Amino acid sequence: MIEVINLEKRYDLGGETIKAVDNVSFTIDQGEFMAILGHSGSGKTTLLNLLGGLTRPSGGTVRIDGQDIWELSDNQLSALRNEKMNFIFQFASLIPTLNVIDNLLLPTVFGRKNSAELHGRALELLDTVGLADKAKAYPSQLSGGQQRRVAIARAFINQPMVVLADEPTGDLDEETEQEMIDLFRSMNKEHNTTFIIVTHSSHLAGQTDRQMRMTAGRLEQA
Ligand SMILES: Nc1ncnc2c1ncn2[C@@H]1O[C@H](COP(=O)(O)OP(=O)(O)O)[C@@H](O)[C@H]1O
Ligand SMILES: [Mg+2]
C-alpha cells in the first residue's frame, strides 16, 4: 500500500516558484489499477517521480507499506525501488549500445537471481509483447513503437509490486495499445501488481478501476 501525505514539489525559477505538485494526499491499495489524467504541465511526471522515490519532495512524504521512504538511507531506498517498483518512462529509454535482451535484463543487474531463469523470463516477456524475433536487435533497429514495447516488457522483469507508467502507450497504434492494456491487466490480476498509469488516452483510462485528474499540481477524483 502507498500513502501519499500532503505531498509538495516546488521549483524555484529565477524568483518565481512553481508548485508542480501542490498538497496532494491519497492512498493506493495493493492491486489497484488506476489512471492519472491531466494536461501537459499539470505535474503528472513530477508526481510519479515522487511516488517512486526518484525525486525528493519539498514537503510531505510517501509511505510504502507503512515505511516513510525519506527516512531510508540512499541504499535502502534503492533496494526498495529495485525490489518493489518499476517505471515505464514517458520516453522509451533503452540503452542504445545494448541489444534488446540485455536491455530487458538491465533492472536485474543489482539482484541476485538465477541468470538462466531470468534469461528465460526475458524471452517470455518479449514473446508477450510480440517481439520474440527481436532479442538480438539493437534499439536503433526497432521502430518507436517496438522500442516502447521493449520498455514495457522490461518493467515486468523483476515482478514488481508496483508499476509506475508515464504515457506508456503514447506512441502505439490502437491495436498494440489494447494488447499492452491487456498485458497490464493480466499482470494486475495474476500477481496483484499495483498500476498507476499516467495517460492522455481515454481508451486506456476507461479500462482502469479508478481515475484521478491533475490540474495545476492538484489531484482530484476524475
Ligand atoms: N526539473 C524541473 N525544474 C523546473 N521546473 C520543472 C521541472 N520539472 C518540471 N517542472 C515544471 O513543473 C510543472 C509540472 O511538470 P510535469 O510534472 O513534467 O508535468 P506533466 O508531466 O503533467 O506534463 C511544469 O510547469 C514544469 O515546467
Ligand atoms: Mg509528463
Side-chain angles (χ1 to χ4, degrees), residues 86-107 126 129 131 134-157 171:
N86 227 318
F87 293 86
I88 302 170
F89 292 103
Q90 187 163 6
F91 302 102
S93 46
L94 304 180
I95 308 290
T97 52
L98 296 180
N99 69 22
V100 164
I101 203 82
D102 288 338
N103 265 287
L104 271 188
L105 290 167
L106 203 57
L126 215 49
V129 298
L131 294 173
K134 299 288 187 192
K136 298 277 190 232
Y138 284 84
S140 62
Q141 298 168 314
L142 304 179
S143 72
Q146 288 172 330
Q147 291 182 37
R148 166 64 57 185
R149 282 185 275 158
V150 175
I152 288 173
R154 183 176 57 188
F156 298 107
I157 192 80
D171 44 16

Side-chain angles (χ1 to χ4, degrees), residues 188-217:
N188 169 250
K189 285 248 152 70
E190 284 168 34
H191 304 291
N192 204 31
T193 308
T194 306
F195 280 79
I196 304 167
I197 308 169
V198 165
T199 187
H200 278 105
S201 164
S202 50
H203 180 66
L204 198 177
Q207 294 180 65
T208 64
D209 300 328
R210 178 181 177 193
Q211 291 108 39
M212 309 273 272
R213 179 173 298 281
M214 274 207 101
T215 311

Side-chain angles (χ1 to χ4, degrees), residues 52-54 56 64 69-70 72-83 85:
L54 293 177
R56 184 180 283 274
I64 296 183
I69 64 172
W70 293 107
L72 298 171
S73 69
D74 287 354
N75 283 342
Q76 287 171 321
L77 180 55
S78 308
L80 178 132
R81 273 201 305 260
N82 196 49
E83 279 165 26
M85 358 192 130

Side-chain angles (χ1 to χ4, degrees), residues 11 13 18 20 39-46:
Y11 292 112
L13 293 175
I18 295 172
H39 293 300
S40 178
S42 60
K44 306 180 300 296
T45 295
T46 306

Side-chain angles (χ1 to χ4, degrees), residues 24-38:
V24 165
S25 298
F26 66 110
T27 301
I28 308 163
D29 289 330
Q30 185 60 46
E32 279 205 63
F33 195 72
M34 71 171 289
I36 296 177
L37 300 148

